[in-house]
Amino acid sequence: MSRYHPSLLTALLAPLLACAAGTTQAREVAAPADHVQADGPYVFRKGEQLQAKWICADKVESRTLPISKAGTDIAARCGYEHTVHVDAPNAASVSILPAVPRIVALSDIHGQYGLLVRLLRANRVIDAQDRWALGKDTLVIAGDVFDRGPQVTEAFWLLYGLQQQAAAAGGAVHFVLGNHETMVLYDDLRYVNPKYLRSAQLLGRSYPQLYGADSVIGQWLRTRPVLLKIGDTLFLHGGISPEAVQLALDPARTNAAYQASLGLPQAGVKADPA
């Protein structure tokens, strides 16, 4: 990994977990876990305040903080081990970007936070303290952080923070939505880890509501693209069918329509040919 060809996609690290095969089989929503040892934070915007909630040893802990123009730091309690820095709500993502010298791409983490950290450290994307170390280069996450594994919350907060740190260093982190992001947001919970169904019970919200438009990560997800073009490379979670090629030729329009559909009932989305 010491030499890189300009404009080359230099690292495609895809721990695929039989996503396509799994979604073709009937599957029921799991029963909630009996106990959650550590999860959070879930952070919600309430007017001029942030409300952060954790589940520590199966009990809810909460903290309310004022929103600062410079961003708000939320210290760790349990779950995600690092301080979270919450910025102002994100603007809609850009769909087409100029070429960059070096891109590292990663997909299908599915709640395996430990694997995510190992891969990013091994390829010098982050340092031993899990801080951005890729300088002015670019990281693309091509979807599917949700579902299956037990550390979805931690993975999202790491990527959310790395996006801020990369921008400050002159680099970039881009998150492209996968089908499992869409599934959770429109309440298809067949692949949600039982831990998170228990978390939702304890927090008094459905699991999709934990990522509602009033939540920090939920708002961030609703402004991420489904198609991202960097130079001559097009990033997306799955592929383009011949019937849908036109969608790939206009990423901005496609992204706007896709983002508008997030959180709508699944039946309504499927009934709309567009």
Side-chain angles (χ1 to χ4, degrees), residues 8 16 37 48 60 63 83 108 174 193 197 244 261 265:
L8 186 66
L16 298 175
Q37 184 59 33
E48 297 301 314
V60 176
R63 187 180 178 195
T83 294
D108 292 78
H174 301 289
N193 190 288
L197 301 177
S261 77

Side-chain angles (χ1 to χ4, degrees), residues 171-269:
V173 172
H174 301 289
F175 185 88
V176 176
L177 296 169
N179 62 302
H180 281 262
E181 278 70 51
T182 309
M183 288 168 68
V184 167
L185 293 180
Y186 67 42
D187 204 22
D188 183 342
L189 308 183
R190 289 173 294 160
Y191 297 90
V192 173
N193 190 288
K195 166 185 175 177
Y196 294 111
L197 301 177
R198 174 65 176 168
S199 290
Q201 281 184 342
L202 291 169
L203 293 170
R205 289 187 173 216
S206 70
Y207 188 57
Q209 287 173 343
L210 295 180
Y211 294 92
D214 65 332
S215 77
V216 170
I217 295 297
Q219 190 275 335
W220 181 66
L221 290 173
R222 284 166 171 76
T223 54
R224 298 307 92 201
V226 68
L227 292 168
L228 175 66
K229 186 179 180 185
I230 304 177
D232 61 0
T233 302
L234 182 67
F235 293 91
L236 68 162
H237 177 68
I240 295 289
S241 67
E243 297 81 8
V245 166
Q246 194 62 38
L247 296 176
L249 300 179
D250 191 353
R253 184 176 180 180
T254 299
N255 285 332
Y258 199 92
Q259 289 160 355
S261 77
L262 292 173
L264 297 178
Q266 178 182 2
V269 174

Side-chain angles (χ1 to χ4, degrees), residues 2 11 21 29 42 44 49 54 57 66 76 84 95 99 117 137 147 152 157 166 219 224 232 237:
S2 60
V29 177
Y42 294 92
F44 305 94
Q49 295 182 318
W54 297 260
V84 166
S95 303
V117 169
D137 291 323
D147 291 346
V152 170
W157 282 120
Q219 190 275 335
R224 298 307 92 201
D232 61 0
H237 177 68

